[in-house]
Amino acid sequence: ELTLPASEADYEKRKADTLRDIHAFLKDEEIITVPGDIGYLYVNVPWIVRPNGPNFWEQIQYRDPSPDLFHATIPGHAFDGQMDKRDTHPIRSKIDDGVRTEGWGTYLEEAAQRLGFFDKDRARTRELIDLFGIFRAVRVAGDLDLQLNRANVSQVVAEWQKYTPWLDA
């Protein structure tokens, strides 16, 4: 069972242990080289205590930080951004594309699964990645309904909540 951490200290330990595991995986499997001077890479989801419990992203990140760390930290958005700053190509260094960035982050979640990161000790974490996918899928329909004025924000959120566990208003 993937449980919520008992405390902020427990969550911080989960993040630190997971970052260590991801770094070792990337190196041992020769997936990507992380420069020694890369520096601090942010983590998306801080510890927050809410009256009604953790929200959707927190429910996932707190249970196992690895899906979001792959997506948003290493080798995801934070790492990608640091590497982008090093690009001196006269064209590529000037392109900033959020679509590519989000595609890369989502790809990394799937790649980590297919390359075996979750096989040994984190098999149930795949379910958390599936929850990310469910939310992304229902979000598309809601986004279209908003753009086409077929629904308002409250209606779209209510529809998203039918399909996405833990999604807060």
Side-chain angles (χ1 to χ4, degrees):
E1 183 176 348
L2 298 172
T3 60
L4 291 169
S7 65
E8 181 175 6
D10 183 12
Y11 175 53
E12 293 301 321
K13 181 177 182 331
R14 288 181 189 197
K15 285 191 304 186
D17 290 348
T18 301
L19 283 169
R20 182 198 65 235
D21 293 348
I22 289 172
H23 278 274
F25 176 73
L26 295 172
K27 181 181 179 197
D28 294 348
E29 298 298 322
E30 299 179 345
I31 294 169
I32 195 167
T33 300
V34 178
D37 65 340
I38 199 69
Y40 172 77
L41 298 172
Y42 69 84
V43 174
N44 263 353
V45 183
W47 179 258
I48 297 173
V49 176
R50 298 181 190 279
N52 296 325
N55 70 19
F56 172 74
W57 301 108
E58 295 156 356
Q59 286 280 356
I60 291 173
Q61 175 79 358
Y62 291 174
R63 290 170 195 274
D64 186 334
S66 58
D68 194 57
L69 292 176
F70 270 104
H71 180 103
T73 305
I74 181 106
H77 301 321
F79 176 75
D80 194 35
Q82 292 296 318
M83 295 306 292
D84 190 45
K85 290 177 186 175
R86 298 166 186 238
D87 191 343
T88 58
H89 188 276
I91 296 172
R92 284 193 305 269
S93 67
K94 308 295 185 247
I95 297 173
D96 185 17
D97 183 352
V99 174
R100 189 212 62 84
T101 301
E102 283 305 317
W104 173 243
T106 303
Y107 161 79
L108 292 168
E109 297 165 20
E110 181 72 18
Q113 289 187 76
R114 295 196 180 251
L115 294 171
F117 180 81
F118 302 103
D119 289 353
K120 228 173 29 177
D121 301 326
R122 297 174 186 262
R124 298 248 3 233
T125 302
R126 291 186 188 104
E127 296 169 36
L128 301 178
I129 296 170
D130 290 343
L131 291 175
F132 277 166
I134 290 167
F135 178 60
R136 289 178 181 125
V138 299
R139 190 168 65 188
V140 169
D143 289 347
L144 289 171
D145 285 342
L146 287 170
Q147 291 295 320
L148 297 171
N149 292 316
R150 294 190 300 216
N152 63 38
V153 171
S154 298
Q155 292 167 319
V156 168
V157 170
E159 188 69 13
W160 289 348
Q161 288 176 311
K162 283 195 240 179
Y163 300 101
T164 309
W166 308 312
L167 188 64
D168 60 310

